[in-house]
Amino acid sequence: MKITWHGHAFIEIQVDGKQILIDPFITGNPFTKTKPEDFNPDYILLTHSHHDHVGDTEELAKKSGATIVTEMDMANDYAQKGFKVEGPNYGGTVHFDWGDVKIIPAWHTTANVPLGMATGLALKIEGKLIYIAGDTGLFSDMKLVGRKQQIDLAFLPIGDYYTMGPDDAAYAASLIDAKKVIPYHFNTFPPIKQDVNDFWKDVPENMKFTTEIDKPFEL
Ligand code: NI
Ligand code: MN
């Protein structure tokens, strides 16, 4: 599979000819050079309802007919608007021909419409386990994500203010014992400005993974 980080919390996965977008915050995202019209998603996975995660979801899903996959209450809201949805709740997994999406807890709030709860995502694609922490503070249960299989790649927020900061996120990296970690959700807005080295300095050397924004890599 090919994975692309488009800055902030926007991630693209290409597998089996399918395009999967996670938290497609494109309009207003200061990092990505992509535009909504560059995408034709088959699935859109959302961690929660804040605008910097929902982003261009409705416009994209209307255009492509993508299935929106997110926590149950938020999914129901989209279903009422006529979108195709899958909405498991915490601990539940939905199986697709390209992989599995498990909705897992994250400690964060939601106050917009649609409502729903904040989540992380555990993806199992081509046998690889990917943990997308979403917006969250540090909590010890995140180590359960890799309970049966070591996490191959984890995206961890390091921005502080709305989520974990670099210190807690580096602790989280060790706690979850992922093979590789990518720091995300930082530098987008003034309150989450961070020096990424404040994260890397406390992360085990073998876990470090860097990628350029908008540049696909193989996993
Ligand atoms: Ni948020
Ligand atoms: Mn956010």
Side-chain angles (χ1 to χ4, degrees), residues 8 48 52-53 108 135 185:
H8 199 59
H48 66 296
D52 57 316
H53 297 262
H108 191 67
D135 282 11
H185 205 279

Side-chain angles (χ1 to χ4, degrees), residues 9-58:
F10 175 25
I11 299 160
E12 175 186 359
I13 298 176
Q14 295 172 58
V15 61
D16 284 346
K18 303 261 177 12
Q19 185 181 83
I20 298 141
L21 301 183
I22 301 157
D23 290 348
F25 171 51
I26 307 169
T27 305
N29 179 333
F31 301 116
T32 186
K33 292 189 168 55
T34 62
K35 298 184 176 60
E37 50 268 35
D38 298 332
F39 297 96
N40 192 33
D42 298 287
Y43 294 86
I44 298 173
L45 281 44
L46 299 176
T47 60
H48 66 296
S49 65
H50 284 153
H51 76 92
D52 57 316
H53 297 262
V54 167
D56 301 90
T57 292
E58 294 201 13

Side-chain angles (χ1 to χ4, degrees), residues 5 8 154-158 181-186 196 199-200 209:
W5 177 46
H8 199 59
F155 286 86
L156 299 174
I158 69 159
V181 297
I182 294 179
Y184 82 160
H185 205 279
F186 67 103
V196 73
F199 171 70
W200 288 132
F209 187 88

Side-chain angles (χ1 to χ4, degrees), residues 155-176:
F155 286 86
L156 299 174
I158 69 159
D160 210 341
Y161 200 89
Y162 303 116
T163 68
M164 300 189 279
D167 183 58
D168 280 352
Y171 184 82
S174 295
L175 187 73
I176 63 174

Side-chain angles (χ1 to χ4, degrees), residues 36-203:
E37 50 268 35
D38 298 332
F39 297 96
N40 192 33
D42 298 287
Y43 294 86
I44 298 173
L45 281 44
L46 299 176
T47 60
H48 66 296
S49 65
H50 284 153
H51 76 92
D52 57 316
H53 297 262
V54 167
D56 301 90
T57 292
E58 294 201 13
E59 179 193 335
L60 288 166
K62 258 179 216 154
K63 179 181 74 170
S64 72
T67 299
I68 299 172
V69 185
T70 190
E71 172 275 330
M72 185 178 77
D73 298 291
M74 195 172 159
N76 286 343
D77 192 273
Y78 281 120
Q80 280 172 13
K81 290 184 187 168
F83 292 101
K84 273 191 284 180
V85 303
E86 280 288 350
N89 213 321
Y90 284 147
T93 301
V94 54
H95 306 275
F96 299 106
D97 53 4
W98 50 268
D100 299 338
V101 179
K102 185 173 186 179
I103 301 284
I104 54 180
W107 277 106
H108 191 67
T109 63
T110 58
N112 302 353
V113 175
L115 292 164
M117 299 288 277
T119 72
L121 300 168
L123 310 181
K124 188 91 170 283
I125 303 174
E126 295 181 327
K128 300 261 171 69
L129 182 59
I130 302 165
Y131 174 42
I132 294 161
D135 282 11
T136 187
L138 174 65
F139 62 106
S140 58
D141 284 358
M142 54 173 70
K143 70 170 179 260
L144 296 175
V145 176
R147 177 173 73 87
K148 291 192 76 175
Q149 174 182 343
Q150 190 178 12
I151 296 165
D152 291 281
L153 179 67
F155 286 86
L156 299 174
I158 69 159
D160 210 341
Y161 200 89
Y162 303 116
T163 68
M164 300 189 279
D167 183 58
D168 280 352
Y171 184 82
S174 295
L175 187 73
I176 63 174
D177 192 30
K179 288 182 192 164
K180 298 288 172 204
V181 297
I182 294 179
Y184 82 160
H185 205 279
F186 67 103
N187 284 352
T188 320
F189 315 112
I192 62 173
K193 192 146 181 46
Q194 293 296 339
D195 180 349
V196 73
N197 294 313
D198 289 338
F199 171 70
W200 288 132
K201 71 180 171 54
D202 296 323
V203 171

